[in-house]
Amino acid sequence: MTTALDMTALLDQYKAGLRDVTDAELERRAMTVAALPGRLAGELRHLVDAERERRQATRQPIPPAARSRVARSRVARSRVALAVAGTAVVAAPAAALTGRALAEYADQVPQVPVYSVAAVAAGLVAAVVGGRRLARWVDDRRHPLAEDVDEADLNPLGKELLARVRAQRLARGEVC
């Protein structure tokens, strides 16, 4: 009976302490509690999850400007994922053909390890660099650099936008 009371007091004390910690500390505690076995750990995980849900429910809605930043970061991450997938798709046939060529001439090569650590590391570095260059190339094709346009060629909305930008720069003390 005293064990149950001690457990209840411990859980209440832990729950009260959760409200005062930062989000990062809450996540750290969640990882720590997730690794623990037993019934008490299950109760602690439940408390951490409840605190996460409470914080999620009380968070302020995201303003539209922040939403667009989040969307841009998701697009950037998806471009990186596409570049990595493209690199893997291009590298897979090349690796298969190289493996087939090595298998054909394996009896003529002295029996040493085919893959060295340095060769694997160099291949990974080459894949990463190639993926980055591919992502940059795709990004440059989708969003080319701005071209100079004469002010006389702008429509009224463009002229108004240009006037606003110049006014903001003058207010900051920049030279237009």
Side-chain angles (χ1 to χ4, degrees):
M1 186 69 169
T2 51
T3 308
L5 291 176
D6 291 342
M7 251 177 86
T8 306
L10 174 76
L11 290 173
D12 288 341
Q13 182 181 7
Y14 191 80
K15 182 178 181 180
L18 283 179
R19 292 190 182 265
D20 300 331
V21 298
T22 63
D23 288 342
E25 175 65 19
L26 183 66
E27 293 304 317
R28 189 192 65 74
R29 286 189 184 188
M31 287 188 300
T32 304
V33 169
L36 296 175
R39 185 171 151 227
L40 177 62
E43 293 294 327
L44 293 175
R45 281 191 290 274
H46 177 71
L47 289 175
V48 170
D49 289 341
E51 180 62 21
R52 280 179 174 165
E53 290 174 8
R54 185 192 69 78
R55 288 183 184 194
Q56 185 68 23
T58 59
R59 286 209 172 100
Q60 297 293 329
I62 300 173
R67 269 191 237 127
S68 65
R69 276 181 282 175
V70 170
R72 281 194 302 263
S73 67
R74 286 183 184 151
V75 168
R77 283 192 301 254
S78 68
R79 282 189 202 143
V80 170
L82 285 174
V84 168
T87 303
V89 166
V90 170
L97 292 174
T98 304
R100 184 174 290 163
L102 284 174
E104 289 176 6
Y105 299 107
D107 57 338
Q108 299 172 6
V109 176
Q111 296 300 316
V112 294
V114 177
Y115 299 110
S116 69
V117 175
V120 171
L124 289 174
V125 168
V128 168
V129 170
R132 280 184 166 178
R133 288 189 179 179
L134 176 66
R136 188 179 309 132
W137 182 81
V138 168
D139 192 46
D140 288 346
R141 295 303 173 271
R142 291 184 66 195
H143 306 288
L145 296 174
E147 297 176 9
D148 288 335
V149 178
D150 289 332
E151 191 174 342
D153 295 339
L154 294 175
N155 63 11
L157 183 60
K159 289 179 183 178
E160 179 185 341
L161 181 62
L162 184 61
R164 283 187 199 168
V165 169
R166 284 182 178 160
Q168 288 174 352
R169 286 182 177 174
L170 285 174
R172 289 192 305 252
E174 294 180 24
V175 178
C176 292

